[in-house]
Amino acid sequence: MTSDAWKLESSAEVEKAAKGDEKRKMRSYSSAIKDGTLKQRQLSFTEKLLTIIPLLKFMIPLMLVYLGEYLINQGIVQLIIFKCAVSFGLSRSSQYRWYQVLYQVGVFISRSSINLIRLPYFVLVLLPILQLLNAVLFFLDALYFFIPHIGIIFTLILFEGLFGGSSYVNTFDHIHNYVDSVGIVIAGFTSIPLHNYVCGTPLPSN
């Protein structure tokens, strides 16, 4: 066997062994993830706080939207009952079921709309205001029954779902874009001194 042939064969064996090691590592890594035995570095309280603070501008509006939403769903809407004459002939139990159906329809539509409509940040701030006003309106109607027809409640509940779903899906979309943007900005500023350093380094002599 010539020297060149031996080198090629040795190189192929080394490459094959390296690929085998890489596959074994990947299998071990995947197994550790599935078993839950993969150890991750635990963040300190300060690190967690520093991670959360930039996201508060997204978290607080979403929290307020859900506050209004679940106040309506769990504490108020079941108290709003209409007579058959102004409820499309629905029984009391049917009215509540339709409340839940329309709420879920609103959530489904809004959460499915992210590829068609992306809301700007100021709308994310507006949504909790609208949702809390919605909750106040439901609360007042549960006390005074001033809304004359169930169709109005149906519309409000549909909007409740739209507000909640839109807030949820657009908040996470903004967080994703925010993280991407931060990374791009950091890379941009870091590249300036790096570029200048490389340009200022003399070329190696031959």
Side-chain angles (χ1 to χ4, degrees), residues 121-161:
Y121 177 72
F122 81 89
V123 178
L124 295 185
V125 177
L126 183 62
L127 286 174
I129 298 171
L130 295 174
Q131 193 72 296
L132 290 172
L133 287 174
N134 214 11
V136 170
L137 186 60
F138 275 94
F139 175 70
L140 292 175
D141 188 64
L143 288 176
Y144 303 112
F145 295 99
F146 59 88
I147 293 179
H149 198 279
I150 197 172
I152 299 172
I153 290 292
F154 281 172
T155 303
L156 291 173
I157 288 175
L158 182 64
F159 274 100
E160 176 205 349

Side-chain angles (χ1 to χ4, degrees), residues 100-112 157-166:
Q100 295 306 311
V101 167
L102 289 169
Y103 164 72
Q104 295 297 340
V105 167
V107 170
F108 176 77
I109 291 171
S110 55
R111 288 195 182 187
S112 304
I157 288 175
L158 182 64
F159 274 100
E160 176 205 349
L162 290 171
F163 294 156
S166 297

Side-chain angles (χ1 to χ4, degrees), residues 28 37 55 58 81 91 108-109 113-114 134-136 170 197 206:
S28 176
T37 57
L55 300 178
F58 302 111
I81 301 166
S91 65
F108 176 77
I109 291 171
S113 66
I114 188 63
N134 214 11
V136 170
N170 281 277
Y197 174 78
N206 293 328

Side-chain angles (χ1 to χ4, degrees), residues 11-76:
S11 176
E13 289 177 356
V14 169
E15 186 176 350
K16 185 177 180 181
K19 287 182 179 178
D21 289 341
E22 186 176 349
K23 287 181 179 178
R24 281 192 293 273
K25 287 179 181 177
M26 289 301 295
R27 281 197 294 267
S28 176
Y29 181 73
S30 299
S31 177
I33 292 175
K34 290 178 181 178
D35 298 341
T37 57
L38 182 66
K39 293 183 179 179
Q40 297 182 351
R41 187 176 73 85
Q42 296 295 318
L43 296 177
S44 67
F45 176 77
T46 303
E47 289 173 323
K48 291 178 181 178
L49 195 61
L50 291 173
T51 303
I52 291 172
I53 288 173
L55 300 178
L56 286 177
K57 66 177 183 179
F58 302 111
M59 295 167 63
I60 292 173
L62 181 62
M63 179 194 71
L64 292 175
V65 166
Y66 273 85
L67 174 64
E69 192 168 325
Y70 284 93
L71 280 175
I72 295 169
N73 288 347
Q74 297 183 5
I76 302 174

Side-chain angles (χ1 to χ4, degrees), residues 81-117:
I81 301 166
F82 290 86
K83 296 178 181 179
C84 288
V86 290
S87 65
F88 304 115
L90 296 172
S91 65
R92 292 185 177 185
S93 58
S94 294
Q95 290 175 31
Y96 181 73
R97 285 196 294 270
W98 274 104
Y99 292 160
Q100 295 306 311
V101 167
L102 289 169
Y103 164 72
Q104 295 297 340
V105 167
V107 170
F108 176 77
I109 291 171
S110 55
R111 288 195 182 187
S112 304
S113 66
I114 188 63
N115 291 325
L116 300 175
I117 302 172

